[in-house]
Amino acid sequence: LYENWILLLGYGCILFGMTLVLTSYWALGFYGTFLGDYFGILMDRRVTEFPFNIFNDPMYVGSAFSFLGTSLMPFTAYIYTQKNKKT
């Protein structure tokens, strides 16, 4: 496990992605995350704290990294399944 860099990269992507998603949720709160401008519930000012000071849309970026990490993990399992079939 510790020598498999693809699997570790997958875990790292998930960790990074979930950090972005959870800190975005923390910064926006429930109403800012789920209701937002759809129902006219806007915050007093634009959120500029982490992670919004790095990305304009950290929830989307975080979700993409989480999906990427998840796809890397089954890919790693598939590689080793194929390797074991050959031996």
Side-chain angles (χ1 to χ4, degrees):
L1 176 66
Y2 295 107
E3 296 177 357
N4 192 342
W5 66 274
I6 296 175
L7 185 60
L8 291 177
L9 181 64
Y11 283 124
C13 286
I14 291 173
L15 180 65
F16 179 69
M18 291 309 297
T19 300
L20 289 177
V21 169
L22 292 175
T23 55
S24 298
Y25 181 79
W26 181 263
L28 292 173
F30 177 80
Y31 292 112
T33 300
F34 296 112
L35 302 178
D37 57 354
Y38 293 112
F39 296 103
I41 302 172
L42 296 175
M43 303 182 89
D44 295 335
R45 60 178 181 80
R46 184 176 178 187
V47 178
T48 57
E49 294 88 25
F50 180 81
F52 290 94
N53 60 352
I54 298 173
F55 298 105
N56 287 330
D57 46 6
M59 282 195 168
Y60 293 120
V61 174
S63 296
F65 269 97
S66 296
F67 295 141
L68 174 66
T70 303
S71 66
L72 287 174
M73 291 168 51
F75 177 70
T76 304
Y78 173 76
I79 290 171
Y80 282 102
T81 302
Q82 296 302 316
K83 180 182 176 186
N84 290 336
K85 285 182 181 179
K86 292 179 183 177
T87 57

